[in-house]
Amino acid sequence: MRKTVILLSSLALVMSSCVSKKKYAELEQQYQDTKGNLQKTTLEKQQLEAKFAKIEKRVENYNEKINSLKDYNASLEEENSVKLDMIGNTAVISNSMKEKMRATLKNVDPAELANAKTLKDSMDVAIAYNLKKSINTSDLENSDDVNIDIDQTVVMISVSDKLLFNTASYKVKKKAYKLIEQLANVINSEPSMDVMIEGHTDSRTINNAVVQDNWDLSVKRATSIVRLLEKKYKVESNRLIAAGRGSSVPLVENSTAKNRARNRRTRIVILPNLDKFFGLMAEEQTLNP
């Protein structure tokens, strides 16, 4: 009996040992399968990361190209805004300034604008409009004797001598200071403007204790205006030119008293930097609609 029990115990132990090996083999297989799946997943993850990195790089390249195109477009716009066109033979106009000029021309009397056949004509009309708006002569004595003309974008303001001087004198009248101050404000508003003051007389000769002849009188009158602009109204001296033309450039024949009165004048010649000039006027129109 005892032998039988021992035999059964041994058999049970052997059977138990066989089941454990089978489970171990199963677990081992599961482990290997899991390890294989993990390796496969890791590899797939690495592949996906590599693909994602390529996609990110492509997106980065596209963004760089887009930004480059934006920069190029901005550069083209900037270049286009400063491209210049000739006005006559003496001046240039940029596209950005054309826009400002068009804005000004919307305010011009259509009858005046109808006579502008060319770009230069339009420029002249616009400058004349802005200057006339800046120089208010309505409250001045003899204000009709102030004329503004434009030629090749050079501004010429002609003032009759009866507004500025007494007969045969080069001392500026006090009543003329308001006009000269308005002229100074326009000149000072744009530092790039150069200004020439020209004195003109009629053909009648003059000779006294202080004036030798018409040349002398015309120069002295121009110098008197220049001194006022410089000393009283703070226009920089290096921007001012005093010139006397005597009776050499009459507007009309000196055949009548009326014609001689027209020829006695002071002319203020201004050559503005057009871009800055219209920029200034645009700002003023915004501030004072």
Side-chain angles (χ1 to χ4, degrees):
M1 182 69 179
R2 185 176 179 183
K3 290 182 179 179
T4 302
V5 172
I6 294 173
L7 180 60
L8 289 173
S9 298
S10 299
L11 180 61
L13 181 61
V14 170
M15 290 179 65
S16 174
S17 176
C18 289
V19 170
S20 296
K21 285 183 178 179
K22 184 178 180 180
K23 281 189 171 291
Y24 176 81
E26 289 176 356
L27 291 173
E28 179 69 19
Q29 185 61 46
Q30 290 179 5
Y31 169 75
Q32 293 299 330
D33 292 343
T34 302
K35 184 177 179 181
N37 289 334
L38 178 61
Q39 290 176 340
K40 181 180 178 182
T41 302
T42 301
L43 180 60
E44 290 176 347
K45 176 177 175 291
Q46 291 174 345
Q47 291 174 342
L48 287 173
E49 287 177 344
K51 288 181 180 179
F52 185 72
K54 288 181 180 179
I55 292 171
E56 280 190 324
K57 186 63 177 177
R58 288 174 64 184
V59 170
E60 183 181 343
N61 289 338
Y62 286 143
N63 286 333
E64 287 180 357
K65 289 179 180 180
I66 291 171
N67 291 331
S68 177
L69 288 173
K70 287 181 179 178
D71 292 341
Y72 181 66
N73 185 57
S75 177
L76 285 178
E77 288 180 353
E78 182 179 358
E79 180 183 348
N80 188 53
S81 70
V82 298
K83 283 185 177 178
L84 303 174
D85 295 330
M86 293 302 297
I87 305 296
N89 296 317
T90 60
V92 291
I93 174 175
S94 70
N95 287 340
S96 61
M97 196 263 285
K98 282 183 188 176
E99 294 303 318
K100 295 172 184 175
M101 184 184 73
R102 292 189 185 104
T104 296
L105 291 175
K106 291 179 181 178
N107 301 312
V108 174
D109 185 343
E112 288 186 46
L113 195 56
N115 296 322
K117 305 301 182 184
T118 65
L119 180 59
K120 185 191 81 65
D121 294 338
S122 298
M123 175 68 65
D124 290 350
V125 170
I127 294 177
Y129 172 84
N130 281 329
L131 278 176
K132 287 175 182 176
K133 188 175 179 181
S134 298
I135 304 173
N136 179 18
T137 61
S138 60
D139 57 348
L140 295 174
E141 182 183 357
N142 299 320
S143 60
D144 290 341
D145 293 312
V146 178
N147 297 307
I148 299 175
D149 296 308
I150 313 291
D151 184 20
Q152 299 287 336
T153 70
V154 176
V155 181
M156 290 168 286
I157 304 168
S158 185
V159 184
S160 171
D161 76 328
K162 64 184 178 183
L163 260 180
L164 300 173
F165 307 102
N166 291 319
T167 302
S169 172
Y170 56 85
K171 184 177 180 180
V172 180
K173 293 179 179 180
K174 293 292 185 181
K175 289 183 179 180
Y177 280 21
K178 184 177 290 188
L179 172 62
I180 295 172
E181 182 179 7
Q182 289 174 329
L183 292 171
N185 289 339
V186 172
I187 295 166
N188 282 328
S189 71
E190 180 41 68
S192 68
M193 288 181 177
D194 286 330
V195 184
M196 181 167 65
I197 312 299
E198 286 184 351
H200 295 260
T201 69
D202 61 29
S203 60
R204 292 178 301 176
T205 59
I206 182 173
N207 188 308
N208 57 40
V210 292
V211 177
Q212 296 183 27
D213 53 23
N214 286 331
W215 286 105
D216 193 22
L217 178 61
S218 65
V219 172
K220 281 182 165 63
R221 285 181 169 179
T223 303
S224 295
I225 301 296
V226 164
R227 285 197 183 100
L228 270 177
L229 290 171
E230 177 191 7
K231 298 185 181 302
K232 186 173 180 62
Y233 300 111
K234 309 305 178 185
V235 178
E236 294 178 353
S237 58
N238 61 355
R239 299 171 55 204
L240 295 169
I241 304 167
R245 305 298 297 269
S247 60
S248 63
V249 190
L251 293 174
V252 292
E253 291 291 331
N254 285 287
S255 55
T256 65
K258 184 177 180 180
N259 283 359
R260 286 193 293 272
R262 287 190 62 191
N263 290 331
R264 295 191 301 270
R265 67 200 189 278
T266 298
R267 192 170 75 152
I268 298 92
V269 183
I270 303 174
L271 179 62
N273 178 307
L274 301 179
D275 275 321
K276 292 182 180 179
F277 183 75
F278 276 104
L280 170 74
M281 294 304 168
E283 290 176 7
E284 288 185 350
Q285 289 178 12
T286 301
L287 294 173
N288 303 295

